[in-house]
Every structure is written in structure tokens, then in C-alpha cells.
Amino acid sequence: MAILIIAEHDNQSLKGATLNAVTAATQLSGDIHLLVAGGDCQAAADQAAAVAGVTKVLLADNAAYEHQLAENVSLLVAELGADYSHIIAPSTTGGKNLMPRVAALLDVVQLSDVMAIESDDTFARPIYAGNAIATVKSLDAIKVITIRTTGFDAAVSEGGSATIETVAAVHDAGISSFIGETMAKSDRPELTAAKVIVSGGRGMGNGENFALLESLADKLGAAVGASRAAVDAGFVPNDMQVGQTGKIVAPDLYIAVGISGAIQHLAGMKDSKVIVAINKDEEAPIFSVADYGLVADLFDAVPELDAKL
Amino acid sequence: MKVLVTVKRVIDYNVKVRVKSDGSDVDLNNVKMAMNPFCEIAVEEAVRLKEAGVASEIVVVSLGPQAAQEQIRTALALGADRGILIQSDANLESLTVAKLLAKVVAEEQPGLVIMGKQAIDSDNNQTGQMLAALTQMPQGTFASEVKVDGDKVQVTREVDGGLQTVELAMPAIVTTDLRLNEPRYASLPNIMKAKRKPLDTKTPEELGVEIKAHTQLLKVAPPAARQAGIKVASVEELVDKLKNEAKVI
């Protein structure tokens, strides 16, 4: 049996998360096929064919798939997927939107956010916002999985020479349509993809003071995050929230400024490689997870740090 | 239009989860339970649709033990009209939950189903999408804005890198993201009134859904603990450590 990976792409190019999914698939037994479903997406399929480890690319090129609406693509994947042992997508918003719909159509469960593969049917995944790791054995014939991209390295994007096979099946459920999108134009990286994150908490005092962090973030090429306390206090919008009810991040460097370190926040960032805490309260729980802690007033320390970089 | 809202009883998000010493599961004895935060947002959205004259009735559904009644009462106190508890002490996987909800949907015929995007215990983020598949309804997941317009609903979705707007034919399923709204608190008079609102109890058997295990939980372990770090004395030392020791900048 083979493994089907649902490629994430914008019709022109493959998104990086797909490469992490390919690496996850190499830890299972079976040939790796990549499905590129989109509209005018030949370019993305060509890129997919070049990924090392992929043996076949299935190209479903039709206007019905242009925006990869779950209603349409799930019907396609459920039809193709019946012949596969595993169906995998990265656990991005695209994968999370599509895959449970596919699983229900195939009458199997989905395993979300898999961070490690133990065997063809046994997987580790975080539960309770990463406060516990569950090892789960799937009893279903077809394993539908989304993988946590930070748990697997990216596959090499060139050197492969997969064949491209055209899939003729067109599924248009006709119950949903794409209206438009507004992509954030920030020069800063996205929170969940950033290598460095600078986050502020209630200690920032107000929203204007976040400018201190933005300046620091720009020097580091970092994204700016916030704790739930800062969001609840109205300092910043809640799409910046890092934590159990916000975004879960694992950057190389996480700088927590004026954040006490409540468990709901730690749940969202404790897998970061290096954690720095700047807080004037030396008893703050954030220091128990920080690799480097600086007990200081952030209004002195942050501008000084900014100046020294 | 009738709106169906689902709520889940989960561990309170402020509670630190402990793994049982035998590694069989997390320990939920004597811990504070509450409504899943994303479900609170779903209830709030339904109540706002009713206040705007779009929704005529709000039915709130929960699945789980008898005690899940508490979360239904909370939703009733926030403005839902009546509740349905599908009572089961079994481990209900998301596909089973979706199948049970599909039966309720078939019975109630709501115009809109509003659910949280994920529960903070299992962190699955599946049930809404699965229910949509089983009922062949369109899905507006991770919603940050919901606008009902005649027999269509426009949903603005939080996707990686920005926002996407889709139009769905109703009946449709919407799952809530954090930015959708700020849930209100229940007032004491409304908590009292909620005690008199109707609450039906059903069982999976009555609904004709078999509880089948699709997965087996082999073990639950605490995540790898972090090494204790050091305190630095100055910004200078911090920059030096980050550059030369951790090599992250």
C-alpha cells in the first residue's frame, strides 16, 4: 500500500509545510504519492515531482479545486484515498480544514497534529495543549493524519523525478464558494513559522508600549506575540496570542517580556529551543522554563537590548 | 431560523494537567471542569444572532456524562433556549460525536450549527468538519466573522497568513476561532432562569449510533521537562550568551 500526501500550494508553488509531511511519510512503509489539487496548478505539480522521496504526483487540475475548498477537495481525496494505507497532510489551517472531512467520508477517525511516528499504526500526539503526550494506535484500515510540521524536518525539494499522472475526477459539491482573501502584509514573519518570537504580557502596561517589542523584533527578524493577559487587557488583538487558546509555537528563540508564565501561556511556547525571560519579579513562574532569565524592569532592559543588537 | 450550538465539558483551562503515575491517562479526579473556551464563543455568537433577529431559537447540545448538564445550564444562562444532553460515560471519539450530532441535526433541522474549532482536552479540531461531511453541509471553519444573508452565510476564516472569506449555502456549519467575539458572563438572574429552561436527555442507543473504538490509547506521558536555565545579571551578558552560547542570534 502507498501513502498519499495532500500537497499544500497556492497553484504556483508548493508550500514548505508539504516538505515536512514528506519526511513524516518516509518514516512509514510504502511509496509516497503527492496529490496536487488546484486550478491552473501545473507549476505546483512540477515542483512536487522534484521533491526527493516522492514517486508519483497526482495532478487534479480543475476550477472546482482552485481555492481548495474542503467541500470539493474532500470528495476527491476520499475517492482516491480508498486505495491508500495512509493519507497525510501538514496540520496547517488548510490540512485541519480538509482532513477530518476526508476521514468522516471514509468512516475512519483522524489523528491530529502527530509529532512522532512509532510504527505504521502507532503515533504520538500532544493533548491538553502539550501538557501530555498520548501514544495512540489506530485500529482503522486507512490512517488519516495531520502532522505537526515542527516535529519533522523538511524534505529536500529537488533531485526527485516523480511521474506526474493526471486525475480526471471532478467533484464540485456546489455548496460553497470563495469570495476573497486578505493576507497580512507585515514584513515580519508569521507567528507559527517564525524562527524568533518576541512576546509581551501584562507587564507591557498598554498597547503603545508594544512598539518597544516591534523595534526589537525588526532587528531580530522576529514575529511579535502576546500572552492572553495582554490580549484580555486589550493591549493587542487576539491573533497575536500565544498559548493554549491561541497559537502554539516552537521557534528557535522565544523572548518573553513582562509575561509571568501562566500555564495557559507556557502550553503555547514551551517547545521553543531557547527561552529568554525578562521580568522584574524574580519569583515569576516563567523563570522556571527560561534558559536565560534577566530580572529587570523591561522599560530599561528592552531598549538596552535593542541598542546592543 | 434555528441555531444549534454544541458545548463540551472539559478541564478548566487554568488547571495544570497531571498525568496518572501508571501512564494510562491524565488524572481528572477532583479537578475543576468548565465549558470549553471555544464553545463559549460559539454560544455567544448564537446569542448575538438571536439578538440581531437572525436566529429564532437556540438549541444547545452536549455529549458526555450526566455532569455535562452543568455546561448546558451555563449556555442556557447565557441565552440559549433549550438543551439536549446525549448522555454516555463511554469514551466518545470525534467521529462518534459527529455521528451522534448528525442524528440531532436530522431531528432539529437547524439553519446553522455553531461549534468551537477545537476542545482544549483532546486538541483534535475535527468534530465540526466531520459533522459537515456526514450531513453534506458546507463548513466555515476557524470563523472570525459570520454574516447571514438570506439563505447564504458569509464566513471570514482565519487561515495561515491572513483571512479568507467564503460563502456557504445554508444549512451550514461554522466553527469558531478566538477573534469571533468576546463571550459575556451569565448574570445571577439569568442563571436562576436557566434552571427552568427545558433540558432533554438522550442516549447513543436511542439515537441508533453504535460506539465503535477507532483508536486505542497506549500510554500518556508528561512532555520532556526543560532543563533549568540560568539568570543573567545584565543585558550585555544576555546578548553574549545568545550570540556565543545558544547561537540563536
Side-chain angles (χ1 to χ4, degrees), chain A residues 40-63:
Chain A
D40 271 329
C41 56
Q42 181 71 44
D46 290 340
Q47 275 189 23
V51 176
V54 177
T55 56
K56 199 198 304 185
V57 172
L58 302 174
L59 171 61
D61 197 336
N62 189 282

Side-chain angles (χ1 to χ4, degrees), chain A residues 8 67-71 92-99 176-183, chain B residues 117 125 129 138-147 153-168 173-180:
Chain A
E8 190 147 305
H67 298 289
Q68 293 152 53
L69 295 170
E71 293 79 5
T92 54
T93 49
K96 288 176 180 173
N97 186 42
L98 172 69
M99 295 297 266
S176 59
S177 52
F178 172 86
I179 300 293
E181 62 189 1
T182 41
M183 288 300 158
Chain B
K117 77 165 177 182
N125 194 330
Q129 294 90 315
Q139 64 190 47
T141 51
F142 325 134
S144 60
E145 199 183 350
V146 176
K147 276 192 285 194
V153 57
Q154 277 205 5
V155 179
T156 301
R157 307 177 51 234
E158 297 204 13
V159 295
D160 296 328
L163 298 170
Q164 180 195 67
T165 305
V166 290
E167 188 173 75
L168 313 174
I173 290 177
V174 169
T175 73
T176 63
D177 214 324
L178 279 176
R179 234 195 299 195
L180 184 58

Side-chain angles (χ1 to χ4, degrees), chain B residues 4 7 20 25 36 55 68 81 96 111 127 133 144 148 161 175-176 179-180 187 189 197-198 204 233 242-243:
Chain B
L4 193 74
V7 299
K20 285 183 186 168
D25 208 339
N36 180 44
D81 296 295
T96 309
T127 311
S144 60
V148 176
T175 73
T176 63
R179 234 195 299 195
L180 184 58
S187 66
K197 290 186 180 176
L242 290 177
K243 273 193 178 140

Side-chain angles (χ1 to χ4, degrees), chain B residues 1-240:
Chain B
M1 175 186 70
K2 192 192 282 186
V3 176
L4 193 74
V5 186
T6 60
V7 299
K8 185 174 184 184
R9 174 183 174 85
V10 297
I11 190 167
D12 185 280
Y13 73 85
N14 284 308
V15 175
K16 182 153 176 63
V17 175
R18 276 193 191 82
V19 174
K20 285 183 186 168
S21 54
D22 65 359
S24 60
D25 208 339
V26 295
D27 191 355
L28 293 181
N29 284 319
N30 302 317
V31 297
K32 189 181 170 205
M33 303 294 276
M35 189 192 295
N36 180 44
F38 291 103
C39 301
E40 287 181 8
I41 298 173
V43 173
E44 176 66 29
E45 195 63 18
V47 173
R48 289 188 189 188
L49 286 174
K50 193 176 175 193
E51 285 169 348
V54 177
S56 51
E57 189 190 20
I58 302 169
V59 181
V60 54
V61 189
S62 190
L63 299 89
Q66 175 76 25
Q69 275 201 14
E70 291 166 27
Q71 280 62 49
I72 296 180
R73 290 287 173 206
T74 304
L76 295 173
L78 291 168
D81 296 295
R82 62 186 170 88
I84 301 171
L85 171 66
I86 302 172
Q87 199 190 323
S88 172
D89 292 321
N91 169 36
L92 300 174
E93 291 180 70
S94 47
L95 183 60
T96 309
V97 171
K99 286 179 178 175
L100 288 163
L101 289 173
K103 297 283 184 184
V104 177
V105 166
E107 230 165 72
E108 297 284 344
Q109 298 285 322
L112 208 55
V113 182
I114 311 181
M115 307 168 72
K117 77 165 177 182
Q118 76 186 62
I120 60 162
D121 51 1
S122 58
D123 281 338
N124 272 326
N125 194 330
Q126 299 174 359
T127 311
Q129 294 90 315
M130 287 182 158
L131 178 60
L134 298 177
T135 56
Q136 297 180 347
M137 287 188 202
Q139 64 190 47
T141 51
F142 325 134
S144 60
E145 199 183 350
V146 176
K147 276 192 285 194
V148 176
D149 179 16
D151 58 354
K152 298 246 164 92
V153 57
Q154 277 205 5
V155 179
T156 301
R157 307 177 51 234
E158 297 204 13
V159 295
D160 296 328
L163 298 170
Q164 180 195 67
T165 305
V166 290
E167 188 173 75
L168 313 174
M170 294 208 289
I173 290 177
V174 169
T175 73
T176 63
D177 214 324
L178 279 176
R179 234 195 299 195
L180 184 58
N181 61 48
E182 199 173 306
R184 69 192 69 188
Y185 293 98
S187 66
L188 189 58
N190 285 341
I191 292 171
M192 299 311 288
K193 267 189 235 161
K195 292 186 175 161
R196 293 192 297 275
K197 290 186 180 176
L199 198 170
D200 280 345
T201 302
K202 297 172 194 281
T203 63
E205 294 74 39
E206 278 168 33
L207 292 168
V209 173
E210 187 201 350
I211 300 174
K212 182 187 161 202
H214 291 266
T215 59
Q216 188 186 342
L217 184 62
L218 299 182
K219 69 168 191 225
V220 176
R226 288 193 76 91
Q227 297 282 334
I230 56 159
K231 289 225 172 96
V232 293
S234 67
V235 170
E236 222 152 57
E237 192 187 344
L238 177 63
V239 173
D240 175 65

Side-chain angles (χ1 to χ4, degrees), chain A residues 18-295:
Chain A
T18 305
L19 300 173
N20 303 81
V22 171
T23 300
T26 58
Q27 298 177 13
L28 298 162
S29 28
D31 286 349
I32 299 171
H33 298 176
L34 256 175
L35 170 67
V36 177
D40 271 329
C41 56
Q42 181 71 44
D46 290 340
Q47 275 189 23
V51 176
V54 177
T55 56
K56 199 198 304 185
V57 172
L58 302 174
L59 171 61
D61 197 336
N62 189 282
Y65 306 134
E66 188 184 351
H67 298 289
Q68 293 152 53
L69 295 170
E71 293 79 5
N72 300 346
V73 178
S74 63
L75 294 170
L76 173 72
V77 177
E79 184 190 306
L80 298 172
D83 297 329
Y84 287 86
S85 61
H86 296 79
I87 308 176
I88 300 179
S91 94
T92 54
T93 49
K96 288 176 180 173
N97 186 42
L98 172 69
M99 295 297 266
R101 195 165 178 123
V102 170
L105 291 173
L106 293 167
D107 197 33
V108 300
V109 296
Q110 190 218 219
L111 293 161
S112 300
D113 237 7
V114 164
M115 56 192 283
I117 294 173
E118 296 198 355
S119 72
D120 280 358
D121 65 1
T122 305
F123 309 92
R125 57 174 303 263
I127 53 174
Y128 293 88
N131 286 309
I133 310 298
T135 305
V136 181
K137 182 182 163 109
S138 166
L139 307 175
D140 286 320
I142 303 174
K143 280 84 175 153
V144 177
I145 297 165
T146 60
I147 61 116
R148 179 173 276 204
T149 50
T150 52
F152 302 89
D153 294 334
V156 180
S157 63
E158 46 198 51
S161 54
T163 53
I164 299 182
E165 192 177 294
T166 305
V167 177
V170 176
H171 292 280
D172 190 350
I175 47 177
S176 59
S177 52
F178 172 86
I179 300 293
E181 62 189 1
T182 41
M183 288 300 158
K185 289 199 181 63
S186 166
D187 291 335
R188 287 192 203 106
E190 231 186 289
L191 258 183
T192 47
K195 294 261 179 240
V196 181
I197 294 175
V198 181
S199 264
R202 200 192 296 276
M204 296 305 296
N206 59 48
E208 285 79 59
N209 289 337
F210 267 74
L212 290 173
L213 302 188
E214 283 162 16
S215 164
L216 182 61
D218 286 342
K219 279 213 175 138
L220 291 165
V224 179
S227 69
R228 181 168 174 149
V231 172
D232 284 351
F235 297 171
V236 289
N238 62 4
D239 56 329
M240 284 170 65
Q241 185 183 323
V242 172
Q244 185 164 15
T245 53
K247 294 187 167 115
I248 310 245
V249 299
D252 290 342
L253 173 62
Y254 188 91
I255 304 179
V257 181
I259 292 176
S260 66
I263 55 162
Q264 112 87 31
H265 185 74
L266 300 184
M269 46 64 85
K270 65 180 168 44
D271 292 330
S272 307
K273 208 155 124 200
V274 174
I275 297 174
V276 170
I278 300 175
N279 204 302
K280 64 181 174 191
D281 172 13
E282 61 179 313
E283 301 293 323
I286 190 79
F287 287 118
S288 68
V289 299
D291 299 280
Y292 302 106
L294 176 63
V295 180

